Amino acid sequence: MGEKTYRGMIGSLLYLTVSKPDIMFIVYLCAKFQKEPREVHLSSIKCIFRYLIGTSNLGLSFKREKEDRLLGYCDADFTRDRVERKSTSGGCHFIGGCLVSWTSK
């Protein structure tokens, strides 16, 4: 498998994270290995595609609420990344019952 093919797969998955935020973190992890991807990285990418095929009927939905309250949640995990020993954090924001933004670093 070449680096170009692997990068193309990562690019497609990054595009999908806009509507499928549940894959954002694992896609980010796989994207870190674009320079020298190994067979285990390709296996992870294939697993993500199988997950997407199995959950194609799921997605984001927005509904109107009487009270549009802004809620925010965040979480952090300090230096538990076993590969690079970096901190991980994430968060999401809701207006009413609808997810409007999220982040993962």
Side-chain angles (χ1 to χ4, degrees), residues 70-97:
L70 175 64
L71 291 172
Y73 300 97
C74 66
D75 191 18
D77 188 1
F78 300 104
T79 65
R80 261 178 112 200
D81 181 351
R82 295 177 191 257
V83 176
E84 295 184 9
R85 290 291 191 207
K86 292 184 178 178
S87 299
T88 307
S89 63
C92 58
H93 295 93
F94 293 85
I95 295 179

Side-chain angles (χ1 to χ4, degrees), residues 60-69 94-100:
L60 296 177
S61 64
F62 297 94
K63 57 185 176 184
R64 189 168 188 89
E65 303 261 336
K66 288 182 183 178
E67 184 181 324
D68 287 336
R69 249 179 21 174
F94 293 85
I95 295 179
C98 302
L99 178 68
V100 293

Side-chain angles (χ1 to χ4, degrees), residues 20-67:
K20 301 285 280 183
D22 51 337
I23 65 168
M24 187 178 296
F25 186 73
I26 190 66
V27 172
Y28 160 74
L29 286 178
C30 291
K32 293 191 322 187
F33 299 99
Q34 290 184 67
K35 180 68 176 156
E36 295 177 8
R38 296 199 174 126
E39 194 63 35
V40 68
H41 303 124
L42 179 61
S43 296
S44 297
I45 295 292
K46 288 179 180 178
C47 185
I48 296 168
F49 281 117
R50 282 192 301 271
Y51 169 79
L52 290 171
I53 290 169
T55 60
S56 62
N57 60 332
L58 302 177
L60 296 177
S61 64
F62 297 94
K63 57 185 176 184
R64 189 168 188 89
E65 303 261 336
K66 288 182 183 178
E67 184 181 324

